[in-house]
Amino acid sequence: FGLLKSTDAEKEARKAAIYKATVHAIKIPLMVMETAIEGFGLIEAMIETGNPNSVSDAGVGAIALRSCIHGAHLNVMINMAGMEISGEIQEMREKADNLAAKASILEGTLVKRVKERIEGI
């Protein structure tokens, strides 16, 4: 934002630099979301084959993963605020929205299974 904007060339260079920096700022929390979603597989394994006395820890892990993903989703959204949503930005937005929705579903499913395991102890 501190780049010069006196001439048309400077304005275009500034606009391109802001876009590039903003895309980078969107990609970082999106990568966090993509990495964190993989953790649900580990949580599922903990529920199914882990120590029954620590099954509640698996539930807490599922809740923490969902929170991580939703927090990163908020960061994606704020970094997109005010941007024209088209092309690359639209793809990232859809991916982030889908990951957040998937995280909610996975968390709900896994916490339900944790509760069922607890009731069966």
Side-chain angles (χ1 to χ4, degrees), residues 8 10 13 19 22 24 35 38 40 50 62 74 83 91 99 117:
D8 287 342
E10 289 174 344
Y19 179 84
T22 303
H24 181 71
T35 301
E38 295 174 13
F40 284 108
L74 291 174
M83 290 191 74
E91 288 177 27
L99 287 167
R117 292 279 319 260

Side-chain angles (χ1 to χ4, degrees), residues 42-102:
L42 178 60
I43 299 298
E44 184 175 22
M46 289 174 64
I47 294 167
E48 297 304 317
T49 61
N51 184 335
N53 294 323
S54 64
V55 72
S56 62
D57 294 335
V60 172
I63 293 166
L65 280 174
R66 186 201 57 81
S67 296
C68 169
I69 292 166
H70 280 269
H73 187 228
L74 291 174
N75 287 325
V76 167
M77 291 171 57
I78 193 65
N79 290 331
M80 287 184 177
M83 290 191 74
E84 182 179 323
I85 305 297
S86 62
E88 179 181 26
I89 302 298
Q90 180 63 30
E91 288 177 27
M92 290 188 292
R93 180 182 195 152
E94 288 173 6
K95 187 174 206 173
D97 291 348
N98 290 335
L99 287 167
K102 184 176 180 181

Side-chain angles (χ1 to χ4, degrees), residues 109-120:
T109 300
L110 294 175
V111 168
K112 180 180 177 189
R113 287 170 61 188
V114 166
K115 289 177 181 179
E116 290 168 353
R117 292 279 319 260
I118 290 171
E119 291 172 0

